[in-house]
Amino acid sequence: MTKSLRECINDATAHNVAIGHFNISNLEALHAIYAAAKKLNVPVIIGVSESEQAFVGLEEAAALVGTIRERDNYPIFLNADHHANFESVKKCIDAGFDMVIIDGTKLSFDDNVAVTKQCVDYAREVTKATGRDILVEAELGFIGSGSVMRDEIPEGAGVLTKPEDAQKFVTSTGIDLFAPSVGSIHGLIKSGKPHIDAVLVAEIKQITGIPLVLHGGSGLRDEDFTNAIKAGIAIVHINSEIRLAFRDAAEASLEANPTEITPAKLMQPAIDAIEKVVESRLKLFNNIV
Ligand code: G3H
Ligand code: ZN
């Protein structure tokens, strides 16, 4: 039987490795990510954010990922990435997602706790009624928004999560996974990424006692990833790097084949390019040489 997401996270924690989480908004990315994971035989999480969901479709994403998992008996999971309110999270749970992220980072601490608790309560209710183990992640601290190209690090990026706030947040909400602000920022920044504070990761891991998730992985240095994983990161999110790989490869393919009209032919280089990026990140996160 395929391992559950919770079991895969526990395994990752026990072995000091991390599960790769990659966002999709099209079939090309899904095929590429799955191909890379399968080649290395490691679990993988597919992320669909609120904006990506509007393009892919909620039930469609659940059907695609669920079909692959069942057909191939493979640990591939679907996460509702950065959903900003309870209604949106509820729709994803109802559609069959394995995991949800309630992103209350724009709210006050107390409002963030309240909406997160509401999502945790609903997930537990559904788990009780259906037996589906739905994991809930929430965030505290500023890690920017949007997997985009940036000229510079956005203002406020230096505000990192305090361990005591993390502990209060985790105990007040009962979440399964916690995403702190430890130095990374969403997007690819031309002037380079801020450094990950691995000491802070270790402190937050120690005080909260639950698996931690690193967002804003694109563009980070290899040693930032490896130090963060050693310190307690169990899942790493990558999006901008695969968006960029897709765009560059698709553009080159269209330019090189001006008379070709078959999407499968035109987009194969984009699939290959995403697969390459994902494979290299998965090797690093899973300590595969
Ligand atoms: O939730 C998505 C990620 O945190 C992706 O961040 O675009 O910097 O890789 P990234
Ligand atoms: Zn994120």
Side-chain angles (χ1 to χ4, degrees):
M1 206 175 117
T2 323
K3 278 190 178 171
S4 70
L5 178 54
R6 198 181 289 276
E7 287 168 331
C8 291
I9 293 169
N10 290 341
D11 281 358
T13 305
H15 294 101
N16 264 313
V17 297
I19 302 173
H21 173 294
F22 304 92
N23 291 70
I24 64 158
S25 44
N26 56 16
L27 260 188
E28 287 88 332
L30 177 64
H31 289 318
I33 295 162
Y34 180 48
K38 207 172 170 198
K39 188 168 170 189
L40 301 172
N41 196 23
V42 294
V44 72
I45 304 173
I46 302 296
V48 178
S49 67
E50 276 182 332
S51 57
E52 288 158 344
Q53 160 209 317
F55 192 68
V56 183
L58 271 191
E59 286 78 14
E60 289 86 339
L64 286 165
V65 174
T67 300
I68 295 173
R69 182 166 61 216
E70 279 156 37
R71 185 196 62 200
D72 297 352
N73 192 24
Y74 196 88
I76 179 169
F77 304 98
L78 182 62
N79 174 43
D81 195 22
H82 295 290
H83 284 246
N85 57 63
F86 171 71
E87 289 67 32
S88 184
V89 163
K90 181 178 181 299
K91 275 188 198 156
C92 295
I93 291 176
D94 293 346
F97 280 55
D98 305 296
M99 169 181 173
V100 291
I101 302 182
I102 173 68
D103 183 343
T105 48
K106 291 203 171 95
L107 305 172
S108 67
F109 182 91
D110 289 344
D111 288 347
N112 192 355
V113 166
V115 71
T116 300
K117 185 81 182 53
Q118 194 181 8
C119 295
V120 171
D121 289 347
Y122 184 67
R124 303 295 180 250
E125 236 175 71
V126 174
T127 295
K128 210 170 157 192
T130 64
R132 284 168 52 211
D133 188 14
I134 300 147
L135 305 190
V136 181
E137 175 187 328
E139 310 183 24
L140 197 61
F142 180 70
I143 40 183
S145 58
S147 290
V148 294
M149 302 300 289
R150 297 179 191 281
D151 288 331
E152 53 194 27
I153 295 167
E155 220 175 291
V159 184
L160 306 184
T161 305
K162 293 193 182 87
E164 56 275 22
D165 290 343
Q167 183 194 28
K168 194 174 160 202
F169 187 80
V170 169
T171 44
S172 315
T173 56
I175 49 175
D176 303 291
L177 298 138
F178 180 59
S181 168
V182 289
S184 56
I185 286 295
H186 286 121
L188 269 169
I189 302 157
K190 281 188 195 147
S191 57
K193 279 246 170 173
H195 167 71
I196 296 292
D197 188 340
V199 174
L200 179 60
V201 173
E203 281 171 13
I204 294 175
K205 168 74 187 163
Q206 212 267 324
I207 204 164
T208 60
I210 64 170
L212 304 181
V213 180
L214 181 68
H215 284 255
S218 291
L220 286 175
R221 286 175 290 270
D222 286 4
E223 64 267 28
D224 274 316
F225 284 122
T226 46
N227 290 339
I229 292 167
K230 268 186 220 143
I233 292 293
I235 297 175
V236 180
H237 280 231
I238 301 281
N239 193 1
S240 304
E241 286 180 2
I242 54 180
R243 286 183 172 184
L244 179 64
F246 173 82
R247 196 211 142 88
D248 285 351
E251 198 168 33
S253 176
L254 289 166
E255 268 171 23
N257 301 284
T259 56
E260 179 59 68
I261 61 166
T262 308
K265 288 183 187 162
L266 285 168
M267 289 301 124
Q268 189 57 48
I271 296 178
D272 298 342
I274 295 174
E275 187 178 334
K276 209 169 148 198
V277 170
V278 174
E279 186 180 340
S280 133
R281 287 315 193 191
L282 284 175
K283 278 185 174 166
L284 185 69
F285 303 160
N286 289 278
N287 202 13
I288 297 169
V289 279

